Amino acid sequence: MTEISLEALKQRLTLMEDAEIIDRETTDGLRLTFIYLGTLIDQERLNESILDPLVRSFQSSVEKSLTTAKISSLSNLAQAFQYLLKGSVLIHDSSSGRWNAIMLPNSLGRSIETSETETIMFGPKDSFSEQLEQNILLIRRRLPLTALKTERYSVGSLTQTTVVLMYIDGLINPEFVAVAKKKLSSIDFDMFLDSSHVAAFMEDHYHSIFPQYLQTDRPDSCAYALGIGKLVILVNNTPFALIAPITLFHLFQSPEDYINRWLVASFLRPLRYLSFLLSITIIPLYVALTTHHYQMLPLQILYVIIESRSKLPLSPFWEALIILITLEIIKEASLRMPTKTSQTLGVIGGIVIGQAAVEAGFASKVLIVLAGISAISTFLVPNYLVTKSSLLLQFIFLILASYLGVPGILLGLVAMFAHLNGLTSLNQPYLAPVSPFYWRDWVDLFVRGPLHAMRNRPEALRPLNKYRMNRRSK
């Protein structure tokens, strides 16, 4: 290890305009050198808590002068730069030759705001921000436990991104923690600017279109996940946390499920599964029936479709393909534009272009209605990543329907569920508790049972403490 020297530090800090090197002498004659990056540290705290007390001190060392500060002793040059780049001020005592570091990170950042990706009518409104320590605080407020462990890792050779692994010791299955630690320790990449980058290196099946880590910006969702035996991964400079292990069914659950009355939540949850299936199959089904199985349609519906398509020059497949691509262009454009403009774009895209497409003879009225139902159905799924996955599935099913008809759609569904059955999240089955079968977990699966009935934590997670209630109160 290279020893720390003032010359070596100055050489590495060349052409860094925010680098500051200042000398001070204390009242007792102690000569100190302070080195820091002005953009990374809190200058006000530096003056009030470090410089002023030290200069007025009569003590013989930094440690004795700053008894309330957390001082880290430095032993080599690499360690000194590591502290410097994370918002520390380095202090060199010329009389003793010792180097110390005190963390003074700049707390610049946005305040706690309402979640924009997982909005709910009732319940907690706060969401994560880009500040890691603040995100840990939001979870610790909800789980004031000494058993709530936080382990830090650094990933990315360029970004040196701090990643925090959180879990409740004595509750979570140790196997999950061991797998997560192994995956985090083995990450070898240069840049991590978002939690999704970390998830990409920790997923068991990175070619799959289905997410294997749940991304959320809600602290209450993370606290709930920790409380039932999952782990949470926080990434510095990103407002989204990762939750694992998950199953397909977790992606259809909303935080509001546990706030609504259980009968209402039990009605809404199956509606989301149905909406997902509708979003990926309703247009392919239209193409299959009008191309291969029109004789299966009731006569009245067949008349409507024939009348609607009588002047169209395109086949049902090309008609559906053009409308779906146009719809996705409008959706992507509305996401990239300012909020007020995107609303106008939605109206223009949905009404004006849709009506114009019908009148110009590019699409039938029936298909426009089905495209609208399909688009709205995707928004019932709470997870944004699943919504994007459904888009790709819709195109695959459309191609199968155009060549094979309804059997093609069924073949696609069988292949999709076979793929889901082979997926894992943190080495745990993706379709649990359906496959493998855990009947006790069905109380919070397709429906949401009353909280009083959820006495046990999910059996599929195999927690060390499986009871959520005091057993004597049963």
Side-chain angles (χ1 to χ4, degrees):
M1 292 288 184
T2 308
E3 290 186 358
I4 310 173
S5 70
L6 199 55
E7 290 71 24
L9 280 167
K10 285 181 178 177
Q11 188 179 2
R12 293 284 291 274
L13 296 176
T14 306
L15 297 180
M16 294 176 70
E17 291 183 354
D18 57 340
E20 301 282 350
I21 302 174
I22 58 175
D23 296 315
R24 290 286 188 276
E25 186 170 343
T26 67
T27 308
D28 201 35
L30 201 63
R31 297 182 64 184
L32 302 172
T33 302
F34 297 84
I35 303 175
Y36 58 90
L37 297 176
T39 51
L40 294 185
I41 70 162
D42 188 334
Q43 298 266 9
E44 193 174 334
R45 281 182 61 200
L46 173 67
N47 292 329
E48 293 178 358
S49 307
I50 307 295
L51 287 177
D52 290 348
L54 272 176
V55 170
R56 291 198 297 266
S57 173
F58 289 95
Q59 299 295 335
S60 57
S61 67
V62 175
E63 290 87 346
K64 290 180 180 177
S65 302
L66 302 175
T67 53
T68 56
K70 184 180 178 182
I71 302 173
S72 303
S73 181
L74 304 176
S75 58
N76 58 68
L77 197 60
Q79 191 184 22
F81 277 109
Q82 190 178 7
Y83 273 91
L84 188 72
L85 293 169
K86 289 189 174 180
S88 293
V89 55
L90 309 184
I91 305 174
H92 178 233
D93 184 347
S94 58
S95 58
S96 65
R98 297 185 61 182
W99 285 86
N100 294 305
I102 299 176
M103 287 290 286
L104 289 173
N106 195 334
S107 59
L108 182 67
R110 63 187 173 98
S111 58
I112 298 173
E113 298 173 351
T114 304
S115 172
E116 292 184 356
T117 56
E118 296 175 86
T119 53
I120 60 174
M121 189 68 71
F122 297 103
K125 302 292 185 185
D126 55 344
S127 66
F128 289 138
S129 67
E130 287 76 10
Q131 296 170 278
L132 182 63
E133 305 303 329
Q134 191 179 70
N135 295 343
I136 296 174
L137 168 68
L138 289 174
I139 295 177
R140 279 207 180 276
R141 277 182 181 172
R142 289 169 167 82
L143 295 170
L145 303 167
T146 55
L148 180 60
K149 305 301 180 187
T150 54
E151 297 185 22
R152 288 176 186 261
Y153 294 81
S154 181
V155 297
S157 57
L158 289 179
T159 54
Q160 296 289 316
T161 307
T162 303
V163 177
V164 174
L165 176 65
M166 300 186 78
Y167 58 91
I168 298 180
D169 193 28
L171 190 155
I172 189 173
N173 190 319
E175 182 186 337
F176 302 161
V177 180
V179 173
K181 286 181 179 179
K182 185 179 179 183
K183 286 178 178 288
L184 282 170
S185 302
S186 61
I187 288 178
D188 184 15
F189 202 62
D190 59 347
M191 297 178 72
F192 289 89
L193 302 175
D194 186 70
S195 57
S196 59
H197 299 170
V198 178
F201 280 86
M202 295 187 68
E203 286 180 338
D204 298 339
H205 312 271
Y206 58 86
H207 291 304
S208 176
I209 61 172
F210 290 94
Q212 292 137 54
Y213 285 77
L214 181 64
Q215 289 196 54
T216 179
D217 63 349
R218 298 188 60 87
D220 56 329
S221 295
C222 289
Y224 183 79
L226 288 165
I228 61 172
K230 297 181 184 179
L231 56 84
V232 170
I233 297 171
L234 297 174
V235 181
N236 197 19
N237 297 320
T238 177
F240 290 96
L242 302 173
I243 295 175
I246 62 163
T247 67
L248 174 72
F249 310 103
H250 289 130
L251 302 173
F252 291 85
Q253 296 174 0
S254 164
E256 213 165 26
D257 285 355
Y258 303 96
I259 296 171
N260 285 325
R261 307 288 296 174
W262 75 271
L263 283 170
V264 176
S266 296
F267 170 74
L268 292 175
R269 195 174 285 181
L271 211 58
R272 295 187 198 125
Y273 294 112
L274 179 64
S275 298
F276 176 73
L277 286 175
L278 269 180
S279 67
I280 61 176
T281 59
I282 189 168
I283 292 182
L285 199 59
Y286 165 81
V287 172
L289 290 175
T290 52
T291 305
H292 299 280
H293 315 289
Y294 51 85
Q295 67 276 12
M296 294 173 61
L297 293 169
L299 202 56
Q300 291 83 355
I301 295 176
L302 189 60
Y303 279 146
V304 172
I305 293 176
I306 290 173
E307 189 274 335
S308 179
R309 288 192 41 79
S310 59
K311 297 179 181 177
L312 296 186
L314 303 171
S315 68
F317 170 74
W318 288 108
E319 176 195 3
L321 189 65
I322 290 172
I323 289 299
L324 284 179
I325 291 176
T326 306
L327 195 62
E328 287 311 313
I329 289 172
I330 294 171
K331 284 164 68 176
E332 282 297 312
S334 62
L335 285 175
R336 304 286 175 268
M337 299 182 78
T339 307
K340 292 181 180 177
T341 314
S342 65
Q343 292 173 352
T344 309
L345 182 68
V347 174
I348 294 172
I351 299 175
V352 179
I353 296 180
Q355 183 65 29
V358 172
E359 292 181 358
F362 286 108
S364 65
K365 295 176 184 175
V366 176
L367 181 62
I368 293 293
V369 172
L370 295 179
I373 294 172
S374 173
I376 293 171
S377 298
T378 58
F379 294 119
L380 262 72
V381 181
N383 191 282
Y384 180 74
L385 297 178
V386 176
T387 303
K388 287 297 179 186
S389 302
S390 68
L391 168 67
L392 190 57
L393 287 171
Q394 193 177 38
F395 280 104
I396 294 172
F397 283 8
L398 184 64
I399 295 170
L400 290 173
S402 68
Y403 283 101
L404 302 174
V406 172
I409 298 174
L410 295 175
L411 184 67
L413 286 172
V414 170
M416 183 184 78
F417 283 108
H419 170 70
L420 288 170
N421 194 43
L423 288 182
T424 55
S425 170
L426 220 60
N427 295 350
Q428 302 306 307
Y430 200 64
L431 281 188
V434 174
S435 174
F437 187 75
Y438 297 95
W439 68 271
R440 289 181 188 275
D441 296 352
W442 281 55
V443 71
D444 188 21
L445 188 64
F446 296 109
V447 296
R448 199 226 85 185
L451 289 177
H452 296 85
M454 298 182 192
R455 293 175 176 274
N456 299 340
R457 295 188 171 86
E459 196 175 353
L461 295 174
R462 293 174 283 120
L464 296 184
N465 180 3
K466 65 180 181 179
Y467 299 109
R468 301 181 68 181
M469 289 183 173
N470 187 339
R471 298 189 69 187
R472 287 174 297 181
S473 65
K474 290 176 68 177

